[in-house]
Amino acid sequence: MSKPIKFGTDGWRGVIADDFTFERVALVAPLAAQVLEEIYGHNAEARTIFVGYDRRFLAEEFAQVAAIAIQAAGYDVKLSQTYAPTPAYSLVAHQQQALGAVVMTASHNPGKYLGLKVKGAFGGSVGPDVTELNRSSTQSTSTQSRNAWNIRVF
């Protein structure tokens, strides 16, 4: 059984294929976009979210899953064509007056980790208020999702 999704400083990190999975990224990414819209939507010109990744193992594939999930939630998604450092995505989100960016990276963590970082419209790491909204919306949805899949087989 997977560990609970826990947001830290500006995102969520976990061990690839253990607690950081495609299914969980598809769940968390659109929630992060909704939180970015709630916090920064009044300043953004459009409902655009930039999705990027670094050179970490499977980061590009996780970014593709995040982009699809965010787009399915009704956002305009700009998916990076190649890897770049996280600050590059923060900068482009700010320059393009987007809601923010979602980036697949694990920063300084060991190679078996990957993470989903949330970057604000202002071009930097989100504050504790955004992290708390991400944490609470993720916990709420995780509980609903578990209950929705509680199917009895006969």
Side-chain angles (χ1 to χ4, degrees), residues 73-151:
Y75 294 90
D76 177 28
V77 175
K78 305 289 183 184
L79 176 63
S80 181
Q81 294 181 18
T82 189
Y83 60 85
T86 302
Y89 299 112
S90 295
L91 178 62
V92 76
H94 176 67
Q95 287 179 335
Q96 298 296 314
Q97 297 180 323
L99 293 171
V102 171
V103 184
M104 300 300 131
T105 179
S107 301
H108 62 280
N109 292 291
K112 66 181 183 177
Y113 286 84
L114 191 57
L116 183 151
K117 280 193 173 186
V118 182
K119 299 300 182 176
F122 59 91
S125 295
V126 295
D129 55 336
V130 177
T131 299
E132 177 57 28
L133 281 171
N134 277 315
R135 184 196 65 73
S136 60
S137 64
T138 301
Q139 284 182 339
S140 166
T141 303
S142 291
T143 301
Q144 291 171 5
S145 178
R146 269 196 308 270
N147 291 341
W149 288 101
N150 189 10
I151 300 170

